[in-house]
Structures are given as structure tokens and as C-alpha cells.
Amino acid sequence: MRKWFMLACAFALAFVVTGVQAPEAQAKTQFVTIGTGGLTGVYYPTGGAIARMVNRKRAEYGIRCTVESTGGSIFNANAISSGDLEFGIVQSDLQYLAINGKGDWAKRGPQKKLRAVFALHPETVTIVAADDANINGPEDLKGKTVNIGNPGSGQRTNAMDLFDILGITLDDLNAQGVKPAEAPSLLQDGRIDAFFYTVGHPSGAIKEATAGKRKVHIVPVTGIDELYKKYPYYAPSVVPKAFYPNSSNTEDVKGFGVKATLMTSSDVSDDVVYAITKEVFENFEEFKKLHPAYQVMTKEGMLQGLTAPIHPGALKYYKEAGLMK
């Protein structure tokens, strides 16, 4: 009888531990997913690095973070809006268009639930030009043969935005519309004088362009405050000279571009967004080692180029860290 009594007590204790406490413990774990991009791009390992930082403190935060390879920015923005993703990496220009119901979102209207967390690396609107073409600034593109990118491409849109500010029209130059991968050989062969490419640096295509017999350089773009006012999704950027030792540039090159940004939804809790923001910023030097493109990142710069409202959870950390008032 005593044996059965002891077994009953043991069973009851097991029920208390596994039947009551386990579900309660499970309820405390929040599962979140970061949408990134293709497996071979920069977005996917970026999401992985963020997830690892958060998961190291799973016991403290009660968050389990996973990463999903996706079709990229537009997919991520839509999935966040629909609740299929909690976080996603989105280009800042597409962030702006989504939150304002423009571009791909013109028919669906503003995506009001989207919230910004922080910006990542710059994707610079880069102008690569042959030295013998005497192009020292974007104004010098007039009268030259310039590849502005294939129709529908990001760099073509970026080039047209810059031309708009500078008062340049396509009638002022011999505009070409080929894909970025073809531009380096065209430049080296003398068939074009310059090309636009919106890209994170270092870029294999630009390394190729600077490695040929024809000397080339990256054109600085400055004095464009009007561009930032008219198109708020652009932000200043810098291309380090060290990335392209074969170029004829003698110093880092100032320019402009969009940024990769981490976005979330207003439906995601403040605690979750706060934890992710805190882990990235307090492990900033570790994070910067992820990719050469991140070498130019600064904590202050991670708050630039955000056009969606900042999520309250991220805002809480920025105020605590003295990054925002």
C-alpha cells in the first residue's frame, strides 16, 4: 500500500512539473523570424548574426529568433504587414514607398503597421568613370556615354533622381541601359565613359572595373542637400579607398545612397524589439566584422535613412543609450 502511495505522489509531482509548469514556461518563449534575402547575399548572414546575438540570451529574454531566406525587400515588407514575419530587412527607399503607399504599394495604399528598428549598411549610388573621360563630378556626365542601368533597375531610378536635382535630362547625355554586370567590360573597352551602380561595398563588379588597363575612379557626389530633402530615403555614404586599391582615387569617396534597414510591425511587442536592438548595439564591434560593407557603419548612422516611424521598443533603447532625446 505504501508503495502505491509513493508512486501516486511521484505521479502527482510529475504532473505538477510537466503538466503545469512546462506549458507556462513555454508560454514565456516568444518565437520571432527575420526575413532576409537570398542565401548568397548579405541580408541572409546579417539576419543570422542578429538571431545568434539574441539567442545567446534566450534565458534572459525568452525569445527564440530564427532566420528565413526570402525574395528580399518587397517580400519582407509585405510579409511584415500581413503578420507572416515579425522582422525583415528592407531597403530604405522601399521602406519609404511602402509606408507612403507609393511604387509597388500604390494600389494597396500605405502600409501603416510598418515600423523601423535601425539602418544597416549603405548601398551607395556609385558612379564609376574612366579617368580619360574627365568626369570629376556628376555634372560632368553631360555629353558623355553613361550606363544608367536597365529599365526598372534601382540604379536607373537613383540616377534619374540625381539628374532631377542637378537639372540634367537624358537628352544631355548618351544614356545606355545595360545590366550592372556588363558595365565593367564596356568601360574597359571604351564603349562607355561611366556607369551607375547602386551596391554595397566592396563590390566584385567595381573591382573588375578598376582592375583593367584603362584607369578608372569613383566619382564623388557632394552638395546635394536638395536631394535629401526631396527624397528622404537617401542618406550620405562613403566608399573607402581601401576597398578599391587599383582605382585612381587617392582618398575615401563621399556619395549618397539608400540603406538596408531592419523593419518590424507595430504588432510586435516593445520587449522583443528592445531586446533585439540592445543586443545589436551593445555587440556593435562584433556585428561590424560580419561583412566588409559594415566597416563604415556607425551607431549614429544606424539611425539615419529611416522613413518609417521608429518602433517604441527601439526608441526606448536609443533614449537609454543617449542616441536620441
Side-chain angles (χ1 to χ4, degrees):
M1 186 73 177
R2 183 178 179 182
K3 178 180 178 181
W4 287 109
F5 176 78
M6 295 298 292
L7 286 172
C9 289
F11 179 81
L13 179 62
F15 177 81
V16 169
V17 172
T18 62
V20 177
Q21 291 185 352
E24 184 179 352
Q26 289 175 1
K28 292 180 180 178
T29 300
Q30 300 183 68
F31 293 87
V32 299
T33 301
I34 302 173
T36 57
L39 294 173
T40 59
V42 179
Y43 286 8
Y44 185 75
T46 298
I50 295 171
R52 285 193 298 274
M53 288 177 180
V54 175
N55 289 337
R56 284 189 309 212
K57 293 190 176 180
R58 181 180 176 184
E60 177 181 342
Y61 294 129
I63 300 170
R64 176 70 173 177
C65 189
T66 58
V67 179
E68 180 178 330
S69 174
T70 72
S73 293
I74 294 176
F75 177 94
N76 294 341
N78 289 334
I80 292 169
S81 292
S82 65
D84 293 328
L85 287 173
E86 288 74 31
F87 294 88
I89 300 177
V90 179
Q91 282 187 196
S92 58
D93 52 341
L94 295 173
Q95 177 188 129
Y96 174 85
L97 295 174
I99 202 72
N100 288 284
K102 297 181 179 181
D104 281 86
W105 295 272
K107 292 183 179 180
R108 285 173 285 176
Q111 304 301 295
K112 296 182 179 180
K113 287 187 176 183
L114 290 178
R115 295 292 181 269
V117 183
F118 49 73
L120 292 159
H121 65 286
E123 296 179 316
T124 303
V125 182
T126 313
I127 305 173
V128 182
D131 289 4
D132 55 31
N134 297 315
I135 299 171
N136 299 310
E139 299 87 352
D140 298 329
L141 294 172
K142 291 182 178 180
K144 303 298 195 301
T145 301
V146 184
N147 181 46
I148 62 173
N150 52 296
S153 66
Q155 51 264 7
R156 191 181 185 96
T157 299
N158 302 146
M160 296 306 297
D161 287 346
L162 179 61
F163 291 163
D164 176 44
I165 295 301
L166 299 176
I168 297 174
T169 70
L170 293 185
D171 292 333
D172 294 325
L173 63 153
N174 180 18
Q176 302 296 303
V178 302
K179 294 181 178 180
E182 302 173 36
S185 60
L186 294 177
L187 186 66
Q188 281 298 323
D189 292 345
R191 287 181 282 174
I192 60 174
D193 298 309
F195 67 86
F196 278 80
Y197 192 14
T198 301
V199 66
H201 294 280
S203 159
I206 296 179
K207 285 184 176 180
E208 178 187 347
T210 60
K213 292 183 178 180
R214 194 183 190 192
K215 296 298 294 181
V216 306
H217 63 281
I218 297 172
V219 179
V221 182
T222 58
I224 52 171
D225 289 345
E226 188 179 344
L227 181 83
Y228 302 131
K229 292 178 182 178
K230 186 170 184 178
Y231 304 107
Y233 43 80
Y234 288 122
S237 64
V238 175
V239 179
K241 157 65 180 173
F243 285 170
Y244 305 105
N246 293 322
S247 75
S248 57
N249 296 98
T250 58
E251 59 186 9
D252 296 347
V253 184
K254 293 182 178 180
F256 74 102
V258 295
K259 286 191 174 183
T261 69
L262 184 68
M263 297 201 71
T264 188
S265 166
S266 57
D267 292 337
V268 177
S269 76
D270 291 3
D271 290 344
V272 169
V273 178
Y274 174 86
I276 287 180
T277 305
K278 180 178 180 180
E279 286 310 301
V280 171
F281 275 77
E282 297 199 353
N283 294 280
F284 184 62
E285 292 306 318
E286 175 187 345
F287 186 76
K288 284 178 65 175
K289 295 176 182 177
L290 172 68
H291 190 275
Y294 293 169
Q295 291 179 15
V296 297
M297 287 173 57
T298 64
K299 290 183 178 181
E300 293 75 15
M302 292 175 74
L303 302 184
Q304 294 179 329
L306 302 176
T307 53
I310 297 177
H311 192 285
L315 196 60
K316 177 184 176 183
Y317 175 78
Y318 298 144
K319 289 181 177 179
E320 288 180 358
L323 293 168
M324 295 185 73
K325 294 182 179 179

